[in-house]
C-alpha cells in the first residue's frame, strides 16, 4: 500500500487516515497540529502519541521532507532568499521526488512577508522571467507549499504575517494543491493565517480565475497584466495567445464582486510597454474595475535582453495613471542584489538532479 503523505493532508483526511489504521479520530487532530502548528517534521517528535502509535503512523504514513539548503541575505539586510530542498518519497515519477525551489522573506514596517513558490519551474514561458526558462519540473504538494512558511518561520523564530504566492510557478496551474494549501494555513488548528493576509498572483488563467471566484475565499488576487494591448502581450506572454485581455478583465470583474479589489501588476520594460500611449491605453482598460495598479521596475534577467524602464519614464507613466484617477503603487526593488526579486528565481539547483 502506498504510504500516506501526512504533510499534505487536510484535518479531515488525517482523521480518516487514523480511523483507517484502527485509531481514534482525535489522534488525527493531534498529528495535524504537530505538523501545521508546531512545525515538526519527524513523527517521533509527536510526544503526545505513544511510541507504539508513532511506529504505527510511521508504518503507514510519512512527512515529506523540506529543508533549507541555502540562505542569502541582501546587503541592506531587508531581504533573505532561501533555497529549499523538497524531498518527497511519495513522488517518484521522472525521478522528480527531489526538487529545489526558492522563497523570499522581506521585512516591512508591518512585519514579515514571505514570497513562496507553488511549482518547481513554470510552463507559462513568459519571455521576461527566469523561472520559466527551464519549464515545469513538477507541482508542489499542498504540504510543500505550506512547509516553506513553516520552515522559514521556525528558522527565524518569528511569525510571518503575510504570504504572497509570487515565487516560482503559476499558482493557478497547480489549482487544487494551492486551494488546499490556503485552507491548511487558514485552519484554526494550524497557524490560522487570515485569508486577507494571502495574495495569489497569476499570469491570467481565465478559466481558473472564474473557478477561484466561485470558492468565495477572501484572498487577494494579483493579476500580471503587464501590457494593455493583445498584440504586445501575445508577444511576451504565451498565455495571452489563449485568452484576450478583454476575457481576462471580465474574469477579474467577476472576482472583484463582493468588494475584493484586484491588483494589476505591470512590469516596466524599457521600450516595450512603457510609453505614454501605453499608459493611456492602460487607463482605458482598467477604468471601472475595483483595482489598483502596481508598477514593477523590471528586474533584468541577463539572457533575456530586456532592460528596466528609465526612472523618468516610470514617473511619467505613473502620473498619467494618477491623473485619470487610477490608484497606483510602485514596487520597492528589494533583493535584486541576491537575485531574489520577481522573475529572478530560477532552477539552477535542479539542473544537477537526476
Ligand atoms: N506566475 C505568477 C506568479 C509568479 S511571478 C505570475 O506570473 O503572476 C510573480 C511576478 O513577477 C509576476 O507579476 C511576474 O510577471 C513578475 N515577473 C516575472 N519576471 C519578472 C522580471 N524579470 N522583473 C520583474 N517582475 C517579473
Ligand atoms: Fe511563470 Fe509567472 Fe514567470 Fe510567467 S512570470 S513564466 S507565469 S512564474
Amino acid at each position: 500500500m502506498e504510504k500516506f503523505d501526512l504533510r499534505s493532508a487536510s484535518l479531515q483526511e488525517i482523521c480518516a487516515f487514523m480511523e483507517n489504521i484502527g485509531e481514534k479520530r482525535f489522534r488525527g487532530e493531534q498529528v495535524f497540529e504537530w505538523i501545521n502548528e508546531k512545525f515538526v517534521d519527524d513523527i517521533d517528535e509527536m510526544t503526545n502519541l505513544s511510541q507504539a502509535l508513532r511506529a504505527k503512523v510511521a508504518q503507514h504514513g510519512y512527512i515529506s521532507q523540506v529543508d533549507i539548503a541555502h540562505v542569502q541575505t541582501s546587503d541592506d539586510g531587508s531581504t533573505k532568499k532561501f533555497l529549499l530542498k523538497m524531498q518527497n518519497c511519495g513522488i517518484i515519477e521522472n525521478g522528480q521526488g527531489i526538487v529545489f525551489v526558492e522563497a523570499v522573506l522581506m521585512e516591512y514596517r508591518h512585519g514579515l512577508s514571505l514570497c513562496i513558490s507553488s511549482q518547481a519551474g513554470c510552463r507559462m514561458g513568459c519571455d521576461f522571467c527566469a523561472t520559466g526558462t527551464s519549464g515545469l519540473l513538477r507541482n508542489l504538494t499542498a504540504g510543500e507549499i505550506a512547509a516553506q512558511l513553516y520552515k522559514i518561520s521556525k528558522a527565524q523564530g518569528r511569525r510571518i504575517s503575510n504570504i504572497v504566492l509570487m515565487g516560482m510557478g503559476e499558482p493557478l496551474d497547480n489549482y487544487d494543491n494551492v486551494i488546499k494549501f490556503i485552507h491548511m494555513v487558514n485552519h484554526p488548528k494550524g497557524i490560522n493565517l487570515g485569508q486577507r493576509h494571502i495574495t495569489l498572483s497569476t499570469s491570467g488563467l481565465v478559466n481558473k480565475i472564474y473557478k477561484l471566484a466561485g470558492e468565495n475565499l477572501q484572498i487577494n488576487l494579483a493579476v500580471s497584466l503587464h501590457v494593455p494591448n493583445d498584440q504586445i502581450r501575445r508577444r511576451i506572454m504565451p498565455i495571452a495567445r489563449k485568452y484576450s485581455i478583454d476575457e481576462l478583465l471580465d474574469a477579474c470583474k467577476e472576482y472583484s464582486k463582493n468588494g475584493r479589489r484586484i491588483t494589476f501588476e505591470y512590469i516596466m520594460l524599457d521600450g516595450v510597454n512603457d510609453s505614454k500611449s501605453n499608459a493611456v491605453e492602460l487607463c482605458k482598460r482598467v477604468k471601472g474595475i475595483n483595482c489598483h495598479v502596481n508598477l514593477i521596475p523590471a528586474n533584468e534577467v541577463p539572457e533575456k535582453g530586456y532592460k528596466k524602464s528609465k526612472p523618468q519614464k516610470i514617473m511619467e507613466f505613473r502620473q498619467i495613471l494618477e491623473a485619470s484617477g487610477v490608484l497606483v503603487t510602485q514596487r520597492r526593488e528589494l533583493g535584486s542584489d541576491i537575485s531574489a526579486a520577481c522573475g529572478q528565481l530560477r532552477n539552477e539547483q535542479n539542473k544537477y538532479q537526476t
Side-chain angles (χ1 to χ4, degrees), residues 128-129 165-167 169-171 201-203 224 226 265 267 296 298-299 301 342-343:
F128 43 80
C129 173
L165 280 156
M166 288 190 190
E170 167 51 57
S201 172
T202 178
S203 57
S224 297
H226 298 330
E265 295 163 280
I267 177 174
I296 312 170
N299 298 304
V301 178
C342 293

Side-chain angles (χ1 to χ4, degrees), residues 34-63:
W34 278 113
I35 298 173
N36 295 286
E37 194 208 354
K38 304 193 186 85
F39 306 156
V40 307
D41 29 36
D42 184 345
I43 294 167
D44 262 336
E45 288 176 61
M46 301 182 179
T47 46
N48 57 0
L49 270 57
S50 70
Q51 214 168 1
L53 179 52
R54 280 182 258 154
K56 194 171 177 187
V57 171
Q59 194 191 339
H60 300 283
Y62 71 100
I63 303 179

Side-chain angles (χ1 to χ4, degrees), residues 61-91:
Y62 71 100
I63 303 179
S64 75
Q65 293 303 298
V66 176
D67 295 296
I68 298 174
H70 190 62
V71 188
Q72 269 176 288
T73 305
S74 65
D75 291 341
D76 67 357
S78 66
T79 306
K80 282 187 180 158
K81 180 167 80 165
F82 295 84
L83 179 70
L84 295 146
K85 182 180 180 188
M86 309 266 165
Q87 196 164 2
N88 196 324
C89 62
I91 300 176

